[in-house]
Amino acid sequence: MGELRLMKGNEVIAEAAIRCGCDGYFGYPITPQSEVMETLMIRRPWDETGMVVLQAESEVASINMLYGGASTGKKVMTSSSSPGISLMAEGLSYLAGAELPCLVVNVQRAGPGLGTIQPSQADYFQAVKGCGHGDYKLIVLAPASVQEMNDFVDLGFELAFKYKNPAMILTDGVIGQMMEKVELADFKPRWTKEEIQANCGDWACTGKKDRKRHVSTSLELDSELMEQNNLRFQAKYKEIEENEVRYEMIDCEDADYIIVAFGSAARICQKSMQIAREQGIKVGMLRPITLFPFPTKTIEELAGKVKGFISVEMSAGQMVEDVKLAVNGKVPVEYFGRYGGVVPTPGEIVDAMKQKLIGG
Amino acid sequence: MTEEIIIAGFGGQGVLSMGKILAYSGIMQDQEVAWFPSYGPEMRGGTANVTVILSDDRISSPVLHEYDTAIILNQQSMDKFESSVKPGGVLLYDPNGISRHPERKDIKVYRIEGTRLAAEMGNPKTFNMIVLGAYLKVKPLVEMENVKKGLEKSLPARHHKLIPLNIEAIEKGCGELETVQE
């Protein structure tokens, strides 16, 4: 068993990065995730593992530093909160277009604009549908506990390198600021030159010797060739959809109604489920862990067995669109949410479920 | 067993660290714990509150609308959280600065003169540990041995010399708890 600690979600992101052999963190402070870089600066991993921690001059600079680091086969990451992620949109599209692996953490706050520093899940569309331009996808992981914040750093890097694609941890101020018991992973050393050669040797720019030149670019002016690139990306996204869907089902076996919720909303909904079940309402929950790829098939299967779904989100109704697509009209799909930094209470959700889904 | 607690007062009263010590004490006896603070602009000199949950089972929501126990340390928090105590639950408060005392009849109410006792001990920083002591008298959910371990874990090593004083404050709080209604 690993080391047990009481830590904030944000602190755990930093500790997990050091422990999983991350080579570099590049970021710019913003509430509610500033503890990530703060923890890294206090931990001084450059003394311990040689990991670089750098406060860039802006989010735009951070994401482009990731592009540079990723091009050389290094495990690089950044973290920010909603407005900062918007600034990174261009860079993310370039990283996806150049097929470079990296990890981006979004500890969401409420928008639009500068909005407020309170928690939100209104960046679902931004994360899942692609916040930058072009046909690309991020692999999106949605932790619902401090433990998952720890686990998904390593998993995020693993998936990013497996598919040569940026991965994102999409969380929010609730999980970022909350302290829970966490079992920390054991230390993994950073990749050596030889390991980078073995893992990324066919694409990384590691210094050309006796091989063809490697170029990290998203630019391809020949449209026929650019279409080929896009076909390759789409095939990759399809492969990700087939192999990497992750979700948790809670009490779905006998359920008449299903709550679909991710991240902190899923935690709140677990309490709502307890309350509803005490009142004799048979409700279960599907918690998508990967938002892309989305558990479409699972929802489709559930749609044949239940009376209805409710998507509970801290947004004005974003994931509900994907739930509707999966259910495809078989049963009603409702939405409930609070937003603008307001977090719904378990009781409110039960009331909404009764009113919208069950009737009365 | 699941105990859902809100601790609410002014920023600077040690509300967050009291919650952290309680949560660490829970970990020391193998419980599941969650600590969720209010965060934001209101923390600067304004009100601060933290939800602490101790449980033998996996914890669901860190965001709650009602609590088993409310520990209330200023008037604003009394106004905000008195109504959030579950029927039959516990409200523990420091009467210092309180102009409107608890009115509900369906909850248990206790008082601890934390501000006065901390002044008497000659160190206002012991305030939160006096209140923690009073809470542990009402709900002895964690062993004193584990509170000591929790203090060791949550205080940086340079402050470990203060642990005996903190323990003394906790014991003081245990001894000075007043029952208002049960």
Side-chain angles (χ1 to χ4, degrees):
Chain A
M1 193 162 163
E3 195 183 335
L4 270 187
R5 293 244 202 109
L6 178 71
M7 288 175 88
K8 278 191 176 189
N10 287 336
E11 295 166 347
V12 162
I13 292 281
E15 187 64 36
I18 300 168
R19 286 174 182 244
C20 82
C22 178
D23 293 300
Y25 171 96
F26 308 88
Y28 188 79
I30 180 170
T31 308
Q33 64 79 54
S34 294
E35 292 90 350
V36 179
M37 188 158 48
E38 189 183 47
T39 305
L40 284 167
M41 291 295 184
I42 292 167
R43 282 282 275 105
R44 302 171 65 87
W46 51 89
D47 289 337
E48 194 178 325
T49 71
M51 175 184 172
V52 172
V53 183
L54 190 134
Q55 179 174 337
E57 69 270 36
S58 71
E59 289 86 348
V60 177
S62 319
I63 195 73
N64 285 294
M65 288 172 183
L66 257 63
Y67 189 106
S71 298
T72 64
K74 298 282 186 186
K75 282 188 182 177
V76 288
M77 69 179 286
T78 186
S79 63
S80 189
S81 180
S82 310
I85 300 290
S86 293
L87 285 168
M88 294 183 187
E90 179 197 48
L92 281 167
S93 172
Y94 278 53
L95 280 150
E99 291 191 272
L100 293 174
C102 66
L103 180 64
V104 177
V105 182
N106 181 1
V107 185
Q108 295 167 94
R109 54 190 260 178
L114 272 181
T116 168
I117 60 176
Q118 299 301 326
S120 165
Q121 297 182 318
D123 301 352
Y124 176 87
F125 280 154
Q126 188 198 45
V128 170
K129 311 294 177 188
C131 59
H133 58 281
D135 277 317
Y136 79 93
K137 297 276 189 190
L138 303 175
I139 298 164
V140 184
L141 299 164
S145 63
V146 173
Q147 184 65 52
E148 285 189 342
M149 291 285 255
N150 174 76
D151 302 347
F152 290 178
V153 171
D154 195 30
L155 177 63
F157 274 122
E158 186 192 313
L159 294 172
F161 275 86
K162 183 172 175 188
Y163 294 101
K164 290 196 287 170
N165 203 70
M168 177 179 272
I169 293 178
L170 186 71
T171 180
D172 63 62
V174 174
I175 309 278
Q177 293 294 328
M178 174 169 60
M179 283 203 276
E180 286 188 303
K181 189 160 80 173
V182 57
E183 184 183 346
L184 295 171
D186 294 332
F187 281 93
K188 282 202 287 197
R190 290 167 52 226
W191 282 344
T192 60
K193 267 185 185 171
E194 292 69 32
E195 284 168 317
I196 292 176
Q197 194 56 38
N199 296 327
C200 319
D202 56 344
W203 58 268
C205 303
T206 50
K208 175 182 162 234
K209 288 194 185 97
D210 306 317
R211 60 160 168 82
K212 186 167 79 45
R213 189 166 66 126
H214 290 164
V215 181
S216 280
T217 183
S218 58
L219 178 72
E220 178 49 74
L221 288 172
D222 183 330
S223 53
E224 296 290 333
L225 292 177
M226 192 61 209
E227 188 181 40
Q228 289 306 312
N229 283 354
N230 267 281
L231 287 167
R232 192 174 69 247
F233 302 158
Q234 291 305 319
K236 175 168 82 178
Y237 303 146
K238 196 156 191 300
E239 197 187 331
I240 294 171
E241 282 177 329
E242 274 160 18
N243 299 320
E244 306 299 346
V245 174
R246 289 167 169 79
Y247 57 86
E248 184 185 10
M249 283 210 272
I250 305 170
D251 295 339
C252 288
E253 300 78 24
D254 66 338
D256 289 331
Y257 303 97
I258 301 284
I259 298 173
V260 187
F262 68 95
S264 52
R267 289 288 294 272
I268 300 167
C269 287
Q270 272 170 262
K271 187 95 187 173
S272 311
M273 278 175 56
Q274 291 166 10
I275 299 170
R277 284 205 169 243
E278 280 164 17
Q279 297 175 11
I281 305 166
K282 285 184 184 166
V283 55
M285 178 159 73
L286 177 82
R287 174 172 79 91
I289 293 172
T290 48
L291 299 178
F292 177 79
F294 193 69
T296 306
K297 278 182 194 157
T298 310
I299 293 177
E300 199 182 334
E301 285 162 21
L302 280 170
K305 300 174 192 162
V306 300
K307 294 178 187 164
F309 290 80
I310 185 164
S311 179
V312 179
E313 312 168 44
M314 278 142 62
S315 74
Q318 300 189 9
M319 183 176 66
V320 64
E321 292 190 5
D322 288 331
V323 179
K324 279 183 178 168
L325 282 172
V327 171
N328 203 10
K330 276 186 205 157
V331 287
V333 178
E334 298 292 342
Y335 144 83
F336 176 72
R338 294 294 302 269
Y339 38 101
V342 178
V343 179
T345 64
E348 263 180 317
I349 296 166
V350 175
D351 292 344
M353 224 165 58
K354 285 190 201 163
Q355 193 196 349
K356 295 188 170 201
L357 204 55
I358 303 164
Chain B
M1 187 287 296
T2 297
E3 165 82 349
E4 297 171 331
I5 311 153
I6 179 94
I7 310 170
F10 286 121
Q13 279 181 316
V15 165
L16 300 184
S17 55
M18 176 179 163
K20 191 173 168 184
I21 290 161
L22 186 56
Y24 247 127
S25 311
I27 289 185
M28 292 303 134
Q29 51 189 46
D30 265 346
Q31 282 170 322
E32 296 299 320
V33 301
W35 175 100
F36 180 56
S38 64
Y39 70 94
E42 82 277 10
M43 282 172 78
R44 297 202 175 84
T47 57
N49 67 68
V50 61
T51 302
V52 178
I53 306 172
L54 304 176
S55 181
D56 297 328
D57 306 310
R58 178 173 156 175
I59 292 169
S60 58
S61 177
V63 178
L64 301 167
H65 60 286
E66 50 179 18
Y67 305 90
D68 299 304
T69 300
I71 300 174
I72 289 177
L73 306 172
N74 65 10
Q75 185 61 54
Q76 288 97 317
S77 304
M78 183 71 81
D79 296 341
K80 192 168 176 189
F81 293 111
E82 184 187 354
S83 60
S84 312
V85 180
K86 290 178 192 171
V90 166
L91 191 157
L92 168 67
Y93 76 109
D94 179 353
N96 180 54
I98 297 286
S99 51
R100 190 191 61 74
H101 292 257
E103 286 156 3
R104 282 179 60 182
K105 295 291 166 226
D106 61 338
I107 55 175
K108 296 171 190 161
V109 180
Y110 302 90
R111 282 158 52 127
I112 179 71
E113 293 255 15
T115 313
R116 180 176 62 77
L117 293 166
E120 280 172 21
M121 281 184 79
N123 188 342
K125 286 186 178 171
T126 58
F127 169 76
N128 62 347
M129 291 299 100
I130 293 172
V131 176
L132 178 62
Y135 168 71
L136 292 174
K137 176 79 178 174
V138 181
K139 292 215 170 167
L141 295 171
V142 285
E143 307 271 341
M144 191 53 89
E145 199 49 40
N146 291 320
V147 178
K148 270 182 208 165
K149 285 187 199 161
L151 275 165
E152 280 165 21
K153 278 275 187 182
S154 53
L155 289 175
R158 67 179 188 280
H159 289 153
H160 278 190
K161 60 179 185 295
L162 296 172
I163 289 176
L165 178 67
N166 279 291
I167 298 287
E168 194 190 323
I170 290 169
E171 284 163 356
K172 184 107 180 158
C174 277
E176 298 280 342
L177 176 80
E178 302 164 46
T179 304
V180 179
Q181 75 182 27
E182 271 188 331

